[in-house]
Amino acid sequence: MLTLNYPLVLASNSPRRQQLLKDAGFEFSVKVKSTNEDFPDTMPAPEVPVFLAQKKALAFQEEIENQIILTADTIVVVDGLILNKPQDRAEAKWMLQKLSGRKHQVITGVCVMTKDSLESYSDTTDVFFRELTDAEIDYYIENCKPFDKAGSYGVQDFVGMVGIPRIEGSYFTVMGLPVHIVYDALKKFSEL
């Protein structure tokens, strides 16, 4: 829908982010730079995804010319604790048990960078899980292998379909890209 004045580069290997951006009508290429995803221990959780999205964008700072670099980072927060991507099956199970029957927040930070500007955005969605049985959690981990997902789950996968009766906010923020924010952020680089 939007015709951008510069080539758009999505700096993410996430197939979900790529599909969402494509479905929103954007043409883009994918280029990823390995980035250290550490953040200060004292940083408040809501600031972490924007901090990491900026870090990913700034990895391109030396080589950016006439492109738009788009980066994103998503975290899951419960009781003030950030649940990152699980290291193994046991950690995935622990995370899903912690989320079971509870409300938590999913926060996605986005950064849009050009040679002359860097802008960051954040969006938060409340996600409500029903009680999950151990059998459901084990089935999900075995069949969906959520090791590349913050909080050990994808809202679009089995556990999201059967275990999330309600969300308050953007479904796409939970998937990893608040498309409504990205669209508005990229409008200023279009001919519309």
mmCIF file of all heavy atoms in Angstrom, residues 158-186:
data_model
loop_
_atom_site.group_PDB
_atom_site.id
_atom_site.type_symbol
_atom_site.label_atom_id
_atom_site.label_comp_id
_atom_site.label_asym_id
_atom_site.label_seq_id
_atom_site.Cartn_x
_atom_site.Cartn_y
_atom_site.Cartn_z
ATOM 1 N N PHE A 158 -0.398 -23.529 18.822
ATOM 2 C CA PHE A 158 -1.354 -24.332 19.594
ATOM 3 C C PHE A 158 -1.674 -23.729 20.963
ATOM 4 O O PHE A 158 -2.835 -23.551 21.314
ATOM 5 C CB PHE A 158 -0.805 -25.761 19.764
ATOM 6 C CG PHE A 158 -1.552 -26.574 20.785
ATOM 7 C CD1 PHE A 158 -2.759 -27.176 20.469
ATOM 8 C CD2 PHE A 158 -1.055 -26.730 22.082
ATOM 9 C CE1 PHE A 158 -3.456 -27.917 21.414
ATOM 10 C CE2 PHE A 158 -1.740 -27.474 23.033
ATOM 11 C CZ PHE A 158 -2.949 -28.071 22.693
ATOM 12 N N VAL A 159 -0.632 -23.383 21.727
ATOM 13 C CA VAL A 159 -0.879 -22.917 23.095
ATOM 14 C C VAL A 159 -1.636 -21.580 23.090
ATOM 15 O O VAL A 159 -2.458 -21.325 23.958
ATOM 16 C CB VAL A 159 0.433 -22.853 23.916
ATOM 17 C CG1 VAL A 159 1.221 -21.588 23.641
ATOM 18 C CG2 VAL A 159 0.158 -23.004 25.394
ATOM 19 N N GLY A 160 -1.379 -20.758 22.098
ATOM 20 C CA GLY A 160 -2.121 -19.513 21.979
ATOM 21 C C GLY A 160 -3.569 -19.752 21.584
ATOM 22 O O GLY A 160 -4.485 -19.113 22.099
ATOM 23 N N MET A 161 -3.760 -20.692 20.669
ATOM 24 C CA MET A 161 -5.115 -21.002 20.194
ATOM 25 C C MET A 161 -5.993 -21.551 21.309
ATOM 26 O O MET A 161 -7.153 -21.169 21.432
ATOM 27 C CB MET A 161 -5.049 -22.022 19.057
ATOM 28 C CG MET A 161 -4.440 -21.515 17.789
ATOM 29 S SD MET A 161 -4.377 -22.879 16.597
ATOM 30 C CE MET A 161 -3.259 -22.192 15.406
ATOM 31 N N VAL A 162 -5.444 -22.477 22.105
ATOM 32 C CA VAL A 162 -6.273 -23.136 23.123
ATOM 33 C C VAL A 162 -6.130 -22.532 24.512
ATOM 34 O O VAL A 162 -6.981 -22.743 25.366
ATOM 35 C CB VAL A 162 -5.979 -24.655 23.199
ATOM 36 C CG1 VAL A 162 -6.163 -25.316 21.838
ATOM 37 C CG2 VAL A 162 -4.593 -24.937 23.757
ATOM 38 N N GLY A 163 -5.061 -21.756 24.730
ATOM 39 C CA GLY A 163 -4.772 -21.299 26.083
ATOM 40 C C GLY A 163 -4.956 -19.830 26.352
ATOM 41 O O GLY A 163 -4.844 -19.396 27.498
ATOM 42 N N ILE A 164 -5.229 -19.036 25.306
ATOM 43 C CA ILE A 164 -5.362 -17.584 25.506
ATOM 44 C C ILE A 164 -6.786 -17.166 25.150
ATOM 45 O O ILE A 164 -7.107 -16.974 23.978
ATOM 46 C CB ILE A 164 -4.329 -16.795 24.667
ATOM 47 C CG1 ILE A 164 -2.911 -17.183 25.091
ATOM 48 C CG2 ILE A 164 -4.547 -15.287 24.822
ATOM 49 C CD1 ILE A 164 -1.812 -16.556 24.258
ATOM 50 N N PRO A 165 -7.643 -17.014 26.168
ATOM 51 C CA PRO A 165 -9.018 -16.626 25.890
ATOM 52 C C PRO A 165 -9.178 -15.133 25.603
ATOM 53 O O PRO A 165 -10.184 -14.712 25.031
ATOM 54 C CB PRO A 165 -9.766 -17.015 27.167
ATOM 55 C CG PRO A 165 -8.733 -16.941 28.244
ATOM 56 C CD PRO A 165 -7.435 -17.327 27.588
ATOM 57 N N ARG A 166 -8.167 -14.335 26.008
ATOM 58 C CA ARG A 166 -8.369 -12.890 25.883
ATOM 59 C C ARG A 166 -7.025 -12.180 25.836
ATOM 60 O O ARG A 166 -6.080 -12.563 26.511
ATOM 61 C CB ARG A 166 -9.167 -12.405 27.094
ATOM 62 C CG ARG A 166 -9.423 -10.923 27.157
ATOM 63 C CD ARG A 166 -10.524 -10.605 28.155
ATOM 64 N NE ARG A 166 -10.168 -10.896 29.530
ATOM 65 C CZ ARG A 166 -9.889 -9.964 30.436
ATOM 66 N NH1 ARG A 166 -9.915 -8.687 30.107
ATOM 67 N NH2 ARG A 166 -9.607 -10.300 31.680
ATOM 68 N N ILE A 167 -6.977 -11.128 25.018
ATOM 69 C CA ILE A 167 -5.858 -10.187 25.062
ATOM 70 C C ILE A 167 -6.432 -8.778 25.076
ATOM 71 O O ILE A 167 -7.553 -8.551 24.595
ATOM 72 C CB ILE A 167 -4.857 -10.347 23.886
ATOM 73 C CG1 ILE A 167 -5.483 -9.956 22.549
ATOM 74 C CG2 ILE A 167 -4.286 -11.751 23.818
ATOM 75 C CD1 ILE A 167 -4.476 -9.876 21.415
ATOM 76 N N GLU A 168 -5.681 -7.864 25.652
ATOM 77 C CA GLU A 168 -6.059 -6.445 25.625
ATOM 78 C C GLU A 168 -4.906 -5.695 24.990
ATOM 79 O O GLU A 168 -3.853 -5.541 25.594
ATOM 80 C CB GLU A 168 -6.331 -5.938 27.046
ATOM 81 C CG GLU A 168 -7.572 -6.539 27.664
ATOM 82 C CD GLU A 168 -7.809 -6.099 29.102
ATOM 83 O OE1 GLU A 168 -7.023 -5.294 29.640
ATOM 84 O OE2 GLU A 168 -8.793 -6.583 29.702
ATOM 85 N N GLY A 169 -5.132 -5.290 23.749
ATOM 86 C CA GLY A 169 -4.086 -4.620 22.978
ATOM 87 C C GLY A 169 -3.963 -5.285 21.618
ATOM 88 O O GLY A 169 -4.881 -5.981 21.172
ATOM 89 N N SER A 170 -2.835 -5.088 20.977
ATOM 90 C CA SER A 170 -2.636 -5.577 19.621
ATOM 91 C C SER A 170 -2.153 -7.021 19.593
ATOM 92 O O SER A 170 -1.122 -7.356 20.183
ATOM 93 C CB SER A 170 -1.614 -4.696 18.898
ATOM 94 O OG SER A 170 -1.247 -5.285 17.664
ATOM 95 N N TYR A 171 -2.871 -7.855 18.875
ATOM 96 C CA TYR A 171 -2.466 -9.246 18.636
ATOM 97 C C TYR A 171 -1.100 -9.267 17.949
ATOM 98 O O TYR A 171 -0.256 -10.122 18.238
ATOM 99 C CB TYR A 171 -3.534 -9.903 17.761
ATOM 100 C CG TYR A 171 -3.231 -11.303 17.302
ATOM 101 C CD1 TYR A 171 -3.461 -12.393 18.130
ATOM 102 C CD2 TYR A 171 -2.742 -11.545 16.016
ATOM 103 C CE1 TYR A 171 -3.205 -13.693 17.705
ATOM 104 C CE2 TYR A 171 -2.485 -12.836 15.583
ATOM 105 C CZ TYR A 171 -2.719 -13.901 16.434
ATOM 106 O OH TYR A 171 -2.457 -15.182 16.001
ATOM 107 N N PHE A 172 -0.882 -8.322 17.032
ATOM 108 C CA PHE A 172 0.360 -8.310 16.257
ATOM 109 C C PHE A 172 1.560 -7.903 17.107
ATOM 110 O O PHE A 172 2.681 -8.333 16.840
ATOM 111 C CB PHE A 172 0.202 -7.423 15.022
ATOM 112 C CG PHE A 172 -0.942 -7.882 14.159
ATOM 113 C CD1 PHE A 172 -2.105 -7.135 14.060
ATOM 114 C CD2 PHE A 172 -0.877 -9.095 13.493
ATOM 115 C CE1 PHE A 172 -3.167 -7.583 13.293
ATOM 116 C CE2 PHE A 172 -1.938 -9.552 12.724
ATOM 117 C CZ PHE A 172 -3.082 -8.789 12.621
ATOM 118 N N THR A 173 1.340 -7.123 18.147
ATOM 119 C CA THR A 173 2.410 -6.819 19.100
ATOM 120 C C THR A 173 2.864 -8.106 19.779
ATOM 121 O O THR A 173 4.058 -8.325 19.971
ATOM 122 C CB THR A 173 1.923 -5.786 20.139
ATOM 123 O OG1 THR A 173 1.721 -4.546 19.463
ATOM 124 C CG2 THR A 173 2.909 -5.592 21.270
ATOM 125 N N VAL A 174 1.912 -8.980 20.103
ATOM 126 C CA VAL A 174 2.244 -10.258 20.728
ATOM 127 C C VAL A 174 2.993 -11.149 19.737
ATOM 128 O O VAL A 174 3.913 -11.874 20.110
ATOM 129 C CB VAL A 174 0.983 -10.970 21.267
ATOM 130 C CG1 VAL A 174 1.356 -12.258 21.997
ATOM 131 C CG2 VAL A 174 0.193 -10.049 22.197
ATOM 132 N N MET A 175 2.662 -11.066 18.458
ATOM 133 C CA MET A 175 3.371 -11.838 17.437
ATOM 134 C C MET A 175 4.782 -11.302 17.203
ATOM 135 O O MET A 175 5.617 -11.993 16.641
ATOM 136 C CB MET A 175 2.603 -11.824 16.118
ATOM 137 C CG MET A 175 1.492 -12.836 16.069
ATOM 138 S SD MET A 175 0.703 -12.922 14.446
ATOM 139 C CE MET A 175 1.944 -13.792 13.485
ATOM 140 N N GLY A 176 5.034 -10.042 17.607
ATOM 141 C CA GLY A 176 6.392 -9.519 17.485
ATOM 142 C C GLY A 176 6.559 -8.278 16.643
ATOM 143 O O GLY A 176 7.674 -7.782 16.482
ATOM 144 N N LEU A 177 5.446 -7.734 16.103
ATOM 145 C CA LEU A 177 5.561 -6.511 15.312
ATOM 146 C C LEU A 177 4.254 -5.724 15.374
ATOM 147 O O LEU A 177 3.257 -6.129 14.772
ATOM 148 C CB LEU A 177 5.894 -6.830 13.848
ATOM 149 C CG LEU A 177 6.370 -5.652 13.013
ATOM 150 C CD1 LEU A 177 7.749 -5.177 13.462
ATOM 151 C CD2 LEU A 177 6.410 -6.013 11.540
ATOM 152 N N PRO A 178 4.238 -4.614 16.108
ATOM 153 C CA PRO A 178 3.016 -3.793 16.164
ATOM 154 C C PRO A 178 2.826 -3.071 14.823
ATOM 155 O O PRO A 178 3.297 -1.961 14.619
ATOM 156 C CB PRO A 178 3.295 -2.820 17.311
ATOM 157 C CG PRO A 178 4.782 -2.747 17.414
ATOM 158 C CD PRO A 178 5.312 -4.057 16.928
ATOM 159 N N VAL A 179 2.150 -3.745 13.918
ATOM 160 C CA VAL A 179 2.061 -3.289 12.527
ATOM 161 C C VAL A 179 1.460 -1.891 12.439
ATOM 162 O O VAL A 179 1.890 -1.072 11.624
ATOM 163 C CB VAL A 179 1.253 -4.292 11.672
ATOM 164 C CG1 VAL A 179 1.139 -3.808 10.242
ATOM 165 C CG2 VAL A 179 1.906 -5.670 11.723
ATOM 166 N N HIS A 180 0.488 -1.579 13.287
ATOM 167 C CA HIS A 180 -0.141 -0.253 13.237
ATOM 168 C C HIS A 180 0.889 0.845 13.520
ATOM 169 O O HIS A 180 0.850 1.916 12.901
ATOM 170 C CB HIS A 180 -1.326 -0.175 14.201
ATOM 171 C CG HIS A 180 -0.981 -0.383 15.640
ATOM 172 N ND1 HIS A 180 -0.564 -1.596 16.163
ATOM 173 C CD2 HIS A 180 -0.978 0.481 16.686
ATOM 174 C CE1 HIS A 180 -0.333 -1.469 17.448
ATOM 175 N NE2 HIS A 180 -0.568 -0.219 17.801
ATOM 176 N N ILE A 181 1.822 0.583 14.414
ATOM 177 C CA ILE A 181 2.861 1.571 14.743
ATOM 178 C C ILE A 181 3.879 1.659 13.610
ATOM 179 O O ILE A 181 4.300 2.738 13.210
ATOM 180 C CB ILE A 181 3.530 1.211 16.086
ATOM 181 C CG1 ILE A 181 2.534 1.472 17.222
ATOM 182 C CG2 ILE A 181 4.817 2.007 16.300
ATOM 183 C CD1 ILE A 181 3.019 1.038 18.583
ATOM 184 N N VAL A 182 4.286 0.501 13.089
ATOM 185 C CA VAL A 182 5.264 0.471 11.996
ATOM 186 C C VAL A 182 4.713 1.207 10.784
ATOM 187 O O VAL A 182 5.414 1.997 10.147
ATOM 188 C CB VAL A 182 5.638 -0.990 11.652
ATOM 189 C CG1 VAL A 182 6.460 -1.055 10.371
ATOM 190 C CG2 VAL A 182 6.395 -1.627 12.813
ATOM 191 N N TYR A 183 3.455 0.957 10.456
ATOM 192 C CA TYR A 183 2.831 1.598 9.297
ATOM 193 C C TYR A 183 2.871 3.118 9.443
ATOM 194 O O TYR A 183 3.284 3.836 8.526
ATOM 195 C CB TYR A 183 1.390 1.105 9.153
ATOM 196 C CG TYR A 183 0.708 1.579 7.894
ATOM 197 C CD1 TYR A 183 0.835 0.878 6.703
ATOM 198 C CD2 TYR A 183 -0.087 2.728 7.904
ATOM 199 C CE1 TYR A 183 0.203 1.316 5.545
ATOM 200 C CE2 TYR A 183 -0.719 3.167 6.749
ATOM 201 C CZ TYR A 183 -0.573 2.455 5.583
ATOM 202 O OH TYR A 183 -1.198 2.897 4.436
ATOM 203 N N ASP A 184 2.460 3.610 10.612
ATOM 204 C CA ASP A 184 2.477 5.062 10.834
ATOM 205 C C ASP A 184 3.892 5.623 10.808
ATOM 206 O O ASP A 184 4.129 6.717 10.286
ATOM 207 C CB ASP A 184 1.805 5.408 12.164
ATOM 208 C CG ASP A 184 0.283 5.295 12.089
ATOM 209 O OD1 ASP A 184 -0.265 5.247 10.968
ATOM 210 O OD2 ASP A 184 -0.354 5.229 13.156
ATOM 211 N N ALA A 185 4.853 4.878 11.350
ATOM 212 C CA ALA A 185 6.239 5.341 11.376
ATOM 213 C C ALA A 185 6.832 5.422 9.974
ATOM 214 O O ALA A 185 7.627 6.318 9.680
ATOM 215 C CB ALA A 185 7.086 4.414 12.247
ATOM 216 N N LEU A 186 6.426 4.498 9.099
ATOM 217 C CA LEU A 186 6.974 4.479 7.749
ATOM 218 C C LEU A 186 6.248 5.426 6.797
ATOM 219 O O LEU A 186 6.775 5.751 5.729
ATOM 220 C CB LEU A 186 6.953 3.049 7.191
ATOM 221 C CG LEU A 186 7.902 2.064 7.893
ATOM 222 C CD1 LEU A 186 7.714 0.664 7.325
ATOM 223 C CD2 LEU A 186 9.347 2.508 7.777
#
